[in-house]
Amino acid sequence: LSVSFSQMHQAWLLETSLSSEMFAVNGKQLWLSDIQVSQWQDGVQVSGNLSSPVPLDEDDVRALKEELQERLQQPVRLEVGYRIQL
């Protein structure tokens, strides 16, 4: 039970941290919202909405995933819906 609570607490900390941050990827500003973090194989899954004031392509999303993996020091599975902010 304590391991489960610890994992829930870690997920909540990651969700809070990531949702309050602006990411600069390939010269574009990105924000994550409605984030959910869960354990996935040997890493974490990050799900949510990705917002940007400019169109994004696959390379931008891949670069965000790589940045998250570097920051979290573990493999990341990234599942995001995309929104354009105007």
Side-chain angles (χ1 to χ4, degrees), residues 4-16 37 39:
S4 178
F5 179 75
S6 176
Q7 288 175 340
M8 286 175 31
H9 181 70
Q10 289 288 28
W12 177 81
L13 290 174
L14 280 175
E15 290 167 3
T16 302
V37 175
Q39 291 297 315

Side-chain angles (χ1 to χ4, degrees), residues 25-26 28 30 56-66:
V25 175
N26 295 337
K28 300 175 183 177
L30 315 174
L56 302 175
D57 59 31
E58 186 178 339
D59 290 336
D60 300 325
V61 179
R62 246 183 246 291
L64 175 61
K65 177 183 174 181
E66 290 172 7

